[in-house]
Every structure is written in structure tokens, then in C-alpha cells.
Amino acid sequence: MDAIGKFFLARPSWLFALVASALVALPIAIWLDLKSLSDQNMLRQATSLNNIITSVRSYYAQNVVGRVLAADGQTKLLHNYEEVVGAIPIPATLSIELGDAIGNSEGDVKYRFVSDFPFKSRPRHRLDQFETMALERFRSNFGADVLVQTTGKLWDQTITLATPVIMSGACVSCHNTHVESAKSDWKVGDVRGLQSVTIRQPIALNIWTFKWVLAYLAVAGTMGMLFAIVQYRLAGKFSLLNDELAANNSFLADVSAKISKYLSPQIYKSIFSGEKDASISTERKKLTVFFSDIKDFTATTERLQPEELTDLLNNYFTEMAKIAEAHGATVDKFIGDAIVAFFGDPETKGTGEDARACVRMALDMQRRLQELEKTWHEKGLEHPFRARMGINTGYCNVGNFGSTDRMDYTIIGAEANLAARLESIAEPGGIVLSYETYAHVRDIVSATQLEPVSFKGIAREVMPYQIISEHSAPCIGAIQESRDGNQLTVDLQILDENTRRKLREAIQRLVRDANSTAS
């Protein structure tokens, strides 16, 4: 069966030709069988008619012509003609005896001439139920002159047609005066009896008339059965495949759900959507890098049991990870008590907006830690966690690092290291920014410029900024002055047009005054 299915799947034109042939073969088979049925019916009718005519001719030759010749042309019409030399049968006798002759010679056609008033010298006719009912109805003047009855079984049908025998004038005078007549008050138009013709049509014999249709149905049924078997097997295989596929999908969904716990949502989404390949490759992008750790983590945890420490640290990371995900951060890794995250890959809203999102995330984290501090105090933690955070914006290499068999999606570069260095100089509960980050967020936070710092591994001198608070109004923080008074930073985007115009005029006057003094 599989071989048949594969054969037609590989050759669809053959299947089309087979279906087309089946459609064409049906009307041909029906036409051939109709022709055969017509031929057989005509042959049966011709045979029956030939037998009837032969019986009539034989009866006429023997009982009419033969008897007239034997009596030298002298004859009489008698019902008991056999007892008188040269006599010939009257019509009723002829009908009765002719019916017997036809019935004996033609098995499928029978003729009966019967009456419930036969001559006294004749045996009484045995009328069946239909003949009795027909006589009653003919004599009741119900209006019909033909009655038909169909009997038989499914495979053998018989049809009987009955008509009344009406008394004519000659018949009335003969019967009313005949000594053997069972009735002497006949009238013209009376129903003396009936004649019936019974034709037997064995349907079983005609089945083979439809040999072409039967052959077609046999072939079509065989092909349909084979097709059904093939379809049943294919359905079974498809069902197994669907079950296996559902099981595999469930397994993959479970595995992917477990894998997602080890990846940031952005990385997980980009890998499973096909945006990222699992191959060693990196890109250089401008990112905002976040680094945090817990102040005096070792000293704090020395007083805790390992189980307590695990529960506390997992609680801390869970709360921080929720905030990071809410702001769209890509959490790079957890290193001990430290958190490394970045903005700008694999999704970015622009350098400025990435920096703002990172600073807002850090502020929310510090606020959440203040809320958790009360909870941890209630649980008996004498020195709750206090985090230091550093943020820097710059170019880093981001992508898959490692071997072909084991890799990690992370960032490297001096700008990433600088975020860790800025975190190290932050106060517990504080956030320190590089100038590159502060330049993008000065409209949303107030910050104090710290002393320039030179970090190991960083070639340039870094100007850090300690966040004081968020802005309550957009104009706050538009002008920032360095501690030594030698530098003034103005954010023109925060100022309105009128203020910018006045500031521009003031600077121009200062420049003119300075030039006049110098000259």
C-alpha cells in the first residue's frame, strides 16, 4: 500500500489520468449495459411471443382445423367438443384450454380464463384471492376495466393483469338456454368471469445484464478500498507524527522556558526569532553600561548562614532584574553580588534615550532597595544591602564570545570597564555617571561634579558626576558650574527661546568687554 501511495505521489499526472479514466468509463459502462438490457429484453419478448404464437397455432391446427377436416367439413361449436366428431370449442373453452397450452410452453407467461359460474360438466375454477377480489370489483361497477397486482420477492417479481369477460348478446342467448349453464338469467354486459395475464420477471436473472456497470463498480470499489486503506495508514502515520510533534513542541517549549532563565529577555527573543545566530561574532556599538555591587557584601554575609544568604541574594537579584526588564535593560550577568547590564543592544532607542533609561533604572533600583531595607530589618538582617552603581556611555564590542561549543553573549572594552571603575568610587546608595552619560541625562537629574579621576586601564582622565536627585522641573540643571569655577556647562535644549537669546547676548557682551580690556 505504501508503495502504491508513493507511486502516485511521485506521479500526480498518473493519478489525474486514472481519475479521468474512471469518470469517462462510468457513462460508457452504463451505455453498454443499457444496450445489453435492451437486447436481452427484446430477445425475451420475441422468444415469449414466438412461444405463444406457436402454442396458438398448434392448438388451432389440432383442435380446430384438424377436427373440421376429420368431419369432412361438417362441424359444430360445443363446450364438450372432444366428445363429438367434427365439433370445435366455443370461445370460452378455447380460452381455457389455450391458457393451459401457453402456460405449459412459456414458463414466464401465464394466461387464465376463469369464472365462478363454469358449465356443470366442468370442474370448478380455483380462484385465488386477487381473482376473487377482481371479480367483485368488476361486478360492483367501480369504473375500472383493468386491475394490476405485483407480487414476489426482491429477486423475483411477478405482475398480474386482470380484465373482465363481458357477456355479449350471442353469449347471453347461448348460456341462458344451455342445459349445463350454471346460470340462466344472464344479461348483456354482465361480467361472467375474467381473464388474467401473469408475467414473471426474475430480477436476479437481469443482474448480469449490468455486467459492465458491475465490473466498473468492482474496479472502482477495489480502487476506493485501496485508497481508503492508504488514507487510513497515512492518517495513522500523520496521527503518530502529530503526537510526536506535539510531544517535541512541548519538550522544546519546556526547554526554551528553562533556557530563558539563563538569558536576558532581549537575547532570548533575538535568538529564538532568528535575528541572532548562535555563532562567534561581535559588533561595535555605542552602549550605556551599568555596573553595581553591594557595599561590604563579604562582611555582611559572614553573619548569615548559607541558606539565608542564598535566599537573600536571590531576592535581591529578582527585584533588581524585574526593574531592569521593565526599563528594557539587557542583563549581561550576575557576578557574585554584582550586576552587569547595558542598553543599546540588541534593541536601541538611540544613545540619548538609552542613557536616560539606564539612569531611570538605577534610580528605581535605589528606591526599591530603600523599600526592601525595612523588610530585611524585620527579618533580622542587621546590615541590609546597600548598592553602589556606576554608569558609562561609550563604544563597546558586543556579541558572542567563547568557543564554538560554549559561548557567552556579553560586552568587552574599556568603556565597559569604566562603568565598573565609576561604581567603585560611588557612595553606598549612590549613582556615579561619566560625563558621556551625564551629557544625555542632565535634563532629568541633578548631579554634582566630582574631582577628576584617573583609573587603571583608562588612558584619559575621567570627570565623574554624582547624582543628587531627579529634576522636578525641566529648567533645573540647565547650567552647571565646575568646582574650581573654571568651567560652565549650559544645556541650551533645556532653556526656552527667550532665555537662550538673553544668554547669547550676555556672552557676546562678555566677549566684547574682554576684548576691550585686552586691547
Side-chain angles (χ1 to χ4, degrees):
M1 295 302 173
D2 293 340
I4 296 175
K6 292 179 180 179
F7 177 84
F8 284 111
L9 286 175
R11 300 168 180 84
S13 59
W14 286 51
L15 181 61
F16 177 79
L18 181 62
V19 173
S21 300
L23 294 176
V24 172
L26 180 58
I28 294 176
I30 293 176
W31 180 82
L32 290 173
D33 283 338
L34 289 176
K35 181 178 180 299
S36 177
L37 178 62
S38 176
D39 293 343
Q40 291 192 23
N41 282 337
M42 287 189 293
L43 178 60
R44 289 173 60 86
Q45 292 172 8
T47 301
S48 297
L49 183 59
N50 177 71
N51 292 336
I52 291 172
I53 292 174
T54 301
S55 298
V56 172
R57 184 178 64 249
S58 176
Y59 179 87
Y60 184 80
Q62 178 181 350
N63 296 327
V64 178
V65 176
R67 296 182 68 83
V68 171
L69 294 177
D72 297 326
Q74 300 296 320
T75 185
K76 296 180 180 179
L77 288 173
L78 298 173
H79 71 284
N80 55 343
Y81 69 95
E82 293 177 343
E83 300 175 359
V84 179
V85 177
I88 59 175
I90 62 176
T93 302
L94 183 143
S95 298
I96 294 172
E97 294 182 353
L98 188 58
D100 294 336
I102 293 174
N104 293 331
S105 63
E106 180 57 37
D108 291 336
V109 178
K110 292 183 179 181
Y111 172 81
R112 273 169 59 86
F113 185 94
V114 294
S115 175
D116 52 352
F117 294 103
F119 279 2
K120 295 177 181 179
S121 60
R122 290 179 181 167
R124 295 187 62 85
H125 297 154
R126 294 182 179 180
L127 305 180
D128 58 26
Q129 185 177 1
F130 171 69
E131 292 171 336
T132 302
M133 181 273 297
L135 276 175
E136 291 176 355
R137 297 191 69 178
F138 289 144
R139 288 171 177 167
S140 64
N141 298 319
F142 77 104
D145 57 357
V146 175
L147 285 178
V148 178
Q149 180 190 48
T150 302
T151 58
K153 300 179 181 179
L154 180 63
W155 303 103
D156 191 358
Q157 293 290 316
T158 300
I159 184 170
T160 301
L161 182 145
T163 58
V165 177
I166 307 298
M167 296 291 285
S168 64
C171 294
V172 169
S173 60
C174 176
H175 280 264
N176 286 342
T177 58
H178 202 287
V179 294
E180 294 189 10
S181 175
K183 184 178 179 181
S184 60
D185 57 348
W186 291 104
K187 298 177 182 179
V188 176
D190 285 347
V191 177
R192 183 191 176 215
L194 58 82
Q195 61 181 5
S196 65
V197 177
T198 301
I199 299 176
R200 177 174 171 266
Q201 185 73 28
I203 297 178
L205 297 178
N206 293 329
I207 289 179
W208 295 112
T209 303
F210 296 92
K211 55 182 177 296
W212 293 105
V213 172
L214 292 174
Y216 174 86
L217 292 177
V219 174
T222 302
M223 296 299 295
M225 183 64 69
L226 293 176
F227 182 77
I229 293 173
V230 171
Q231 290 298 311
Y232 178 78
R233 290 193 174 186
L234 289 177
K237 290 183 178 180
F238 285 145
S239 178
L240 293 176
L241 292 175
N242 287 334
D243 292 341
E244 292 178 2
L245 184 60
N248 290 336
N249 287 339
S250 177
F251 173 75
L252 291 175
D254 183 60
V255 170
S256 63
K258 293 178 180 178
I259 292 176
S260 67
K261 304 297 183 182
Y262 295 88
L263 300 172
S264 65
Q266 296 90 336
I267 303 302
Y268 172 83
K269 178 181 177 181
S270 63
I271 291 176
F272 279 85
S273 65
E275 297 176 6
K276 297 284 186 180
D277 290 330
S279 59
I280 297 177
S281 61
T282 61
E283 297 179 84
R284 185 167 174 81
K285 290 186 176 182
K286 194 168 189 178
L287 308 176
T288 296
V289 184
F290 169 87
F291 195 94
S292 75
D293 76 348
I294 300 173
K295 174 66 174 174
D296 299 328
F297 176 75
T298 303
T300 302
T301 57
E302 283 179 350
R303 304 180 182 90
L304 300 175
Q305 295 299 319
E307 294 81 5
E308 294 176 321
L309 175 60
T310 300
D311 182 67
L312 183 63
L313 194 59
N314 287 337
N315 184 22
Y316 165 73
F317 282 141
T318 299
E319 295 294 331
M320 297 302 103
K322 288 181 181 178
I323 297 172
E325 183 177 352
H327 286 273
T330 300
V331 178
D332 185 1
K333 60 177 71 71
F334 301 115
I335 308 174
D337 62 317
I339 301 174
V340 181
F342 54 87
F343 288 77
D345 185 81
E347 299 174 354
T348 180
K349 296 180 180 179
T351 303
E353 191 57 38
D354 288 342
R356 293 185 186 92
C358 185
V359 170
R360 292 190 183 100
M361 177 192 72
L363 291 169
D364 285 347
M365 286 181 173
Q366 292 292 13
R367 280 192 287 267
R368 182 57 180 155
L369 283 173
Q370 291 175 7
E371 296 171 358
L372 291 172
E373 184 175 347
K374 180 180 178 181
T375 303
W376 289 334
H377 268 304
E378 293 174 353
K379 290 184 177 181
L381 184 61
E382 182 179 358
H383 301 286
F385 291 162
R386 301 194 67 191
R388 302 178 300 185
M389 301 177 182
I391 301 175
N392 178 45
T393 301
Y395 282 94
C396 302
N397 287 334
V398 58
N400 293 321
F401 293 87
S403 67
T404 55
D405 297 326
R406 174 69 172 86
M407 59 187 68
D408 191 17
Y409 196 90
T410 185
I411 56 174
I412 61 171
E415 301 300 330
N417 295 334
L418 178 55
R421 301 291 188 272
L422 292 172
E423 175 272 322
S424 65
I425 65 173
E427 297 293 331
I431 305 171
V432 175
L433 316 175
S434 68
Y435 176 77
E436 287 78 4
T437 301
Y438 176 68
H440 294 292
V441 301
R442 65 180 70 184
D443 58 329
I444 64 172
V445 295
S446 296
T448 300
Q449 181 179 335
L450 304 178
E451 294 292 337
V453 182
S454 295
F455 294 113
K456 183 179 180 181
I458 306 298
R460 69 182 185 280
E461 190 176 58
V462 177
M463 186 69 68
Y465 288 80
Q466 175 80 38
I467 293 179
I468 300 174
S469 65
E470 288 187 85
H471 285 322
S472 57
C475 61
I476 298 176
I479 301 176
Q480 297 290 331
E481 182 182 5
S482 63
R483 287 188 173 184
D484 57 7
N486 295 327
Q487 183 177 350
L488 188 68
T489 303
V490 179
D491 190 345
L492 297 178
Q493 293 182 349
I494 298 178
L495 302 177
D496 57 42
E497 181 62 30
N498 187 45
T499 303
R500 286 199 296 268
R501 181 178 56 79
K502 291 180 179 181
L503 181 61
R504 191 181 299 110
E505 293 174 354
I507 293 174
Q508 289 174 353
R509 285 196 301 270
L510 289 174
V511 172
R512 285 197 300 270
D513 292 344
N515 291 336
S516 299
T517 302
S519 59

